Amino acid sequence: MTQRWHASSVSSTLQRFIVGKPAARITAAVCIGSFWARTGYDASMTGDASGPIDGARYGHTNLIARDWRRLSDWYVRLFGCTPVPPERDYSGPDLERGTAVPKAALQGVHLRLPGHGDDGPTLEIYTFATTDGASEGGIDRPGFRHIAFAVADVHTARRRVLDEGGSAVGEVVTLTTADGRRVTWCYVTDPEGNAVELQSWAPPA
């Protein structure tokens, strides 16, 4: 059976040892590297992971509209947003699992926000086929619903969010756009219940 060491206990022991001993700091640094290599330590296996989620980059702000075409045209006319094809048209079991909305179906578009270049964030405007059963705070309720971050790995990022006091909304799923690109994504919430999407894009298979 492989013995698991907790990083915090090892670090505190070393700190007590090297206080006021410059030479010991060098020795300790070498020992730490050797120790982690022998034990197969991985920071992701502990609760000590720190720093930003790997690859995190702001992706989009989501707006659930009653009429996505009319509302997206308004943002294009007034603010100079530009449509990013293809238009979205999603439905089916994967969308239901991802949104936690029964019989979910939606259409919409991404608009590139002005002033941030061709790779800047977008405004995602969607309309669900029905919002009759939309719950308070639900992903399908009209209004600004979530912000989104692109991440290197959705499953890893989701675990990190849950470890840091967030909550899960739906499951991790993968959808395919009309031009064949695949997006793996999920919804989570921050510790105060605000919705956040985690997503990772892949080129067409």
Side-chain angles (χ1 to χ4, degrees):
M1 180 177 179
T2 302
Q3 186 173 9
R4 293 283 177 85
W5 292 82
H6 198 280
S8 59
S9 61
V10 174
S11 298
S12 60
T13 300
L14 287 170
Q15 286 172 0
R16 288 195 298 272
F17 171 70
I18 68 177
V19 170
K21 302 174 183 176
R25 294 192 186 98
I26 299 175
T27 303
V30 175
C31 290
I32 290 171
S34 176
F35 174 81
W36 295 146
R38 291 198 313 272
T39 58
Y41 169 76
D42 182 347
S44 65
M45 299 189 310
T46 77
D48 296 326
S50 61
I53 289 173
D54 187 29
R57 184 176 68 87
Y58 190 75
H60 66 255
T61 298
N62 169 267
L63 174 57
I64 299 301
R66 291 178 173 83
D67 184 336
W68 71 268
R69 286 194 184 277
R70 183 167 63 87
L71 195 58
S72 62
D73 286 346
W74 187 88
Y75 278 97
V76 169
R77 291 197 319 272
L78 271 67
F79 298 103
C81 298
T82 55
V84 180
E87 294 180 355
R88 308 304 203 259
D89 187 354
Y90 295 137
S91 62
D94 285 339
L95 185 63
E96 292 182 39
R97 289 168 48 223
T99 59
V101 175
K103 300 181 180 179
L106 60 80
Q107 294 179 320
V109 68
H110 276 247
L111 301 179
R112 185 79 64 200
L113 297 172
H116 298 280
D118 294 338
D119 293 323
T122 60
L123 176 61
E124 177 186 74
I125 303 180
Y126 284 165
T127 296
F128 276 81
T130 177
T131 56
D132 294 342
S135 60
E136 183 69 23
I139 292 297
D140 55 339
R141 187 168 61 88
F144 285 102
R145 295 273 47 87
H146 70 261
I147 61 174
F149 288 95
V151 297
D153 183 271
V154 173
H155 290 277
T156 300
R158 184 176 188 264
R159 286 195 298 270
R160 177 74 182 281
V161 169
L162 301 186
D163 288 345
E164 296 288 343
S167 300
V169 179
E171 305 174 34
V172 177
V173 297
T174 300
L175 298 177
T176 304
T177 62
D179 60 356
R181 291 180 299 149
R182 293 165 295 146
V183 56
T184 298
W185 58 277
C186 71
Y187 291 128
V188 293
T189 69
D190 65 21
E192 293 191 1
N194 301 300
V196 178
E197 180 183 348
L198 307 171
Q199 60 172 224
S200 180
W201 285 88

